[in-house]
Amino acid sequence: MGEIVLIRHGETTWSASGQHTSVTDLDLTEHGAAQAKALKPLLAGRRFAAVWSSPRKRALVTADLAGLDVDAVIPDLAEWAYGDYEGRTGDEIAAEDPHWSLWTDGGKGPAGERPEQVAARLDRALAEAEPLLVQGDVAFVAHGHSLRVAAARWLGRPPRDGRDFTIDTASVGALGYEHGGHAVTLWNLTAPAVAPPE
């Protein structure tokens, strides 16, 4: 039985600065491109039945640089929509709204997504991927918060429990099975050879 392989995109200028990035379609930094290329050996032993990517170019480029051929662009894999907090850092948000939490409050304003909305679309992606696991692995090339929600939902936990799963840029995780039940089988694996720029 295969696994759902969660691949977070490489570094962008906003991920490096801690700015919330959802709909803003940023390129990878030079370091992010190196990170994405360094994913190749981490993925080399896997047989993919399908490779699915978020529509954002940072995910699509990461897949390409990691040596993966994207079979489908899946809108449900897009990052959590932060609404009015797009482009803002956690410190900036805390100074303005110290009690806000993405995990419980969702994105800010009418363009922000509620936790249950994000959970519903990740549930769809997981449900569509699971039957393919008899053929091999299914890759989700996507984003930090959306992949964390995917992990929580795979375990049957509410979307807010995604806060318990930290995830670095250009990292690999896997959702699989143990004793017939859903399990997280790998988490936040990165290529140590790629040092951040000084």
Side-chain angles (χ1 to χ4, degrees), residues 116-130:
E116 58 272 16
Q117 292 175 300
V118 180
R121 57 185 177 83
L122 270 300
D123 285 350
R124 283 193 298 269
L126 291 167
E128 290 169 17
E130 191 167 15

Side-chain angles (χ1 to χ4, degrees), residues 6 11 14 34 38 52 69 86 92 94 123 141-143 145-146 163-164 176 193 197-198:
L6 308 179
E11 180 193 82
W14 281 15
W52 296 349
D69 295 320
E86 179 82 3
E92 290 172 340
D123 285 350
V141 188
H143 312 273
H145 285 123
S146 62
R163 64 187 167 203
D164 297 335
E198 296 189 16

Side-chain angles (χ1 to χ4, degrees), residues 92-119:
E92 290 172 340
I93 296 167
E96 179 181 305
D97 190 357
H99 302 293
W100 176 79
S101 166
L102 177 68
W103 300 107
T104 53
D105 302 324
K108 185 75 169 179
E113 279 186 293
R114 303 282 309 145
E116 58 272 16
Q117 292 175 300
V118 180

Side-chain angles (χ1 to χ4, degrees), residues 165-184:
F165 299 94
T166 61
I167 186 170
D168 295 324
T169 52
S171 65
V172 178
L175 308 177
Y177 303 90
E178 185 178 52
H179 304 303
H182 286 180
V184 174

